[in-house]
């Protein structure tokens, strides 16, 4: 399989998944099929970034697409419908991953420089996060809720500032691209690393240890001050992409109705069939198709309500 063929498969899986997301009363198995989409796209991103001649341009393009998608996610619901936001922006995850990889590539031969660049990147992310937390707890964003466009300023702002903590899937999915990049050209290494990744994902999400632990603490008759500290303690889990408040009644419900992203493990056979060739490319297909199909399906979902 070429990367072009894998991308087309990913587009199909993604479309099936988003039909399940946006269209009411669709069967759950559509979402299961969709779990294969992100890993296959990310696999192709890692390959594409390695082979591209202008890695800086690749990073800039992903940033522009992430900001553009954030505007689409806000403006379409605000202008055409009754407000709200579309919570889909895979470009934000891709941008963060390729930016990290770009910093790694340009500092290959200079370790002190690498420490400096990654130190600056980490510091910048912490500063942006602190500013967001301060604005959130000060009530700044809540003052604008209900106002056209400005009510979603928070989302546009964190995407424009390039916060790694507010990408789609947060650090967990962003890290998948980095995993693929450093596992490329070695199918045994790819298999081992991806299986470990999927198993860890399953163990973190499906048993719901964080959900149950924080839930127990909140119900323990603690005073309001302690409960506030617990809420603050939950923030790092959410920033990593671990939703501590998304609970399910039992293990089966968690595995097959709520936290079923672990099914991405079934994308591995398609990656192993990769033949190292690019294929025809269709470079702009994903850039156009992704936002277009999101807007169409969102519009259909609004009509169906």
């Amino acid at each position: 399989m070429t990367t072009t063929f894998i991308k087309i498969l990913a587009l199909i899986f993604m479309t099936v998944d988003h039909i399940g997301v946006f269209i009411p009363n669709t069967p759950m198995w559509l979402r299961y099929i969709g779990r294969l989409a992100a890993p296959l796209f990310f696999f192709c991103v890692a390959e594409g970034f390695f082979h591209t001649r202008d890695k800086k341009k690749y990073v800039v393009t992903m940033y522009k697409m992430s900001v553009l998608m954030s505007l689409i996610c806000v403006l379409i619901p605000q202008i055409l419908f009754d407000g709200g936001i579309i919570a889909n922006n895979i470009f934000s995850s891709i941008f963060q991953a390729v930016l990290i990889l770009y910093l790694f590539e340009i500092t290959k031969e200079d370790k002190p420089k690498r420490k400096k660049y990654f130190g600056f990147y980490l510091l910048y992310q912490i500063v942006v996060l602190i500013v967001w937390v301060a604005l959130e707890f000060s009530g700044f964003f809540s003052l604008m809720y209900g106002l056209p466009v400005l009510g979603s300023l928070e989302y546009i702002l964190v995407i424009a500032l390039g916060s790694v903590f507010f990408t789609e899937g947060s650090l967990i999915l962003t890290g998948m691209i980095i995993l693929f990049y450093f596992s490329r050209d070695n199918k045994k290494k790819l298999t081992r690393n991806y299986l470990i990744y999927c198993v860890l994902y399953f163990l973190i999400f499906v048993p719901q240890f964080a959900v149950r632990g924080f839930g127990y603490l909140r119900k323990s008759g603690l005073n309001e001050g302690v409960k506030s500290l617990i809420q603050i303690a939950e923030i790092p889990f959410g920033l990593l992409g671990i939703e501590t408040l998304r609970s399910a009644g039992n293990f089966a419900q968690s595995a097959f109705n709520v936290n079923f992203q672990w099914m991405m493990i079934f994308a591995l056979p398609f990656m192993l069939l990769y033949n190292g060739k690019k294929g025809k490319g269709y470079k702009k297909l994903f850039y156009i198709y992704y936002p277009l199909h999101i807007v169409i399906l969102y519009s259909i979902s609004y009509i169906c309500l």
Side-chain angles (χ1 to χ4, degrees):
M1 289 185 180
T2 63
T3 51
T4 300
F5 189 82
I6 294 174
K7 282 181 184 178
I8 292 173
L9 281 178
L11 282 176
I12 294 171
F13 295 145
M14 177 183 68
T15 304
V16 170
D17 179 48
H18 288 161
I19 289 173
V21 171
F22 290 105
I23 308 303
N25 304 315
T26 48
M28 181 59 75
W29 57 262
L30 296 178
R31 305 300 317 281
Y32 297 164
I33 292 174
R35 297 314 91 208
L36 279 64
L40 294 180
F41 274 130
F42 291 167
F43 176 81
C44 293
V45 167
E47 284 293 324
F49 182 78
F50 179 81
H51 290 289
T52 188
R53 295 179 180 177
D54 192 339
K55 289 179 170 54
K56 183 178 180 179
K57 182 179 179 181
Y58 195 111
V59 174
V60 172
T61 299
M62 288 301 107
Y63 173 74
K64 289 179 179 178
M65 290 302 302
S66 68
V67 174
L68 175 62
M69 193 65 204
S70 74
L71 293 172
I72 291 173
C73 289
V74 169
L75 294 179
I76 294 299
Q78 295 285 350
I79 295 174
L80 299 182
F81 304 106
D82 293 333
I85 188 171
I86 304 173
N88 296 86
N89 191 349
I90 198 173
F91 292 114
S92 60
S93 300
I94 296 173
F95 162 66
Q96 288 296 332
V98 296
L99 173 59
I100 291 170
L101 291 175
Y102 176 71
L103 294 178
F104 179 84
E105 287 292 332
I106 62 175
T107 58
K108 267 186 175 181
E109 308 300 328
D110 192 336
K111 290 185 178 180
K113 190 175 182 181
R114 175 177 295 175
K115 290 181 180 179
K116 179 181 177 181
Y117 279 24
F118 277 100
F120 179 79
Y121 174 83
L122 181 60
L123 177 63
Y124 175 80
Q125 294 297 336
I126 292 173
V127 169
V128 171
L129 179 61
I130 291 173
V131 171
W132 174 83
V133 171
L135 291 174
E136 183 71 25
F137 280 88
S138 70
F140 175 79
F141 292 120
S142 62
L143 292 174
M144 293 179 288
Y145 289 163
L147 298 175
V149 181
L150 289 178
S152 302
L153 176 65
E154 178 181 359
Y155 176 71
I156 298 173
L157 184 62
V158 292
I159 296 298
L161 289 175
S163 173
V164 71
F165 299 110
F166 296 92
T167 60
E168 184 176 346
S170 194
L171 288 170
I172 287 180
L173 289 188
T174 298
M176 191 192 302
I177 300 175
I178 298 171
L179 179 149
F180 288 144
Y181 188 79
F182 290 107
S183 302
R184 58 176 310 279
D185 282 345
N186 188 326
K187 292 187 177 181
K188 288 184 178 180
K189 186 177 180 181
L190 170 65
T191 301
R192 182 196 66 207
N193 291 347
Y194 188 63
L195 287 176
I196 291 173
Y197 177 91
C198 291
V199 169
L200 287 176
Y201 191 101
F202 182 92
L203 293 175
I204 290 170
F205 280 84
V206 178
Q208 305 178 92
F209 295 125
V211 176
R212 299 181 190 281
F214 282 112
Y216 174 78
L217 290 174
R218 286 193 298 272
K219 296 176 182 178
S220 298
L222 303 172
N223 61 51
E224 292 302 318
V226 177
K227 287 182 179 179
S228 297
L229 291 175
I230 292 172
Q231 288 181 330
I232 294 173
E234 287 179 317
I235 292 175
F237 287 87
L239 295 174
L240 289 172
I242 303 172
E243 294 287 349
T244 59
L245 300 179
R246 285 188 63 192
S247 59
N250 55 52
F251 186 89
Q253 288 180 2
S254 178
F256 296 102
N257 292 91
V258 179
N259 301 303
F260 48 81
Q261 181 63 38
W262 62 269
M263 295 182 186
M264 62 187 171
I265 195 170
F266 298 112
L268 180 59
F270 296 100
M271 301 176 200
L272 296 178
L273 290 173
Y274 174 53
N275 60 14
K277 298 179 180 179
K278 180 180 179 181
K280 293 186 177 180
Y282 303 127
K283 184 177 180 180
K284 296 182 180 179
L285 175 63
F286 180 57
Y287 296 153
I288 297 172
Y289 184 83
Y290 181 78
L292 182 62
H293 95 283
I294 291 288
V295 171
I296 291 173
L297 289 175
Y298 181 83
S299 301
I300 294 173
S301 72
Y302 182 84
I303 295 170
C304 291
L305 292 176

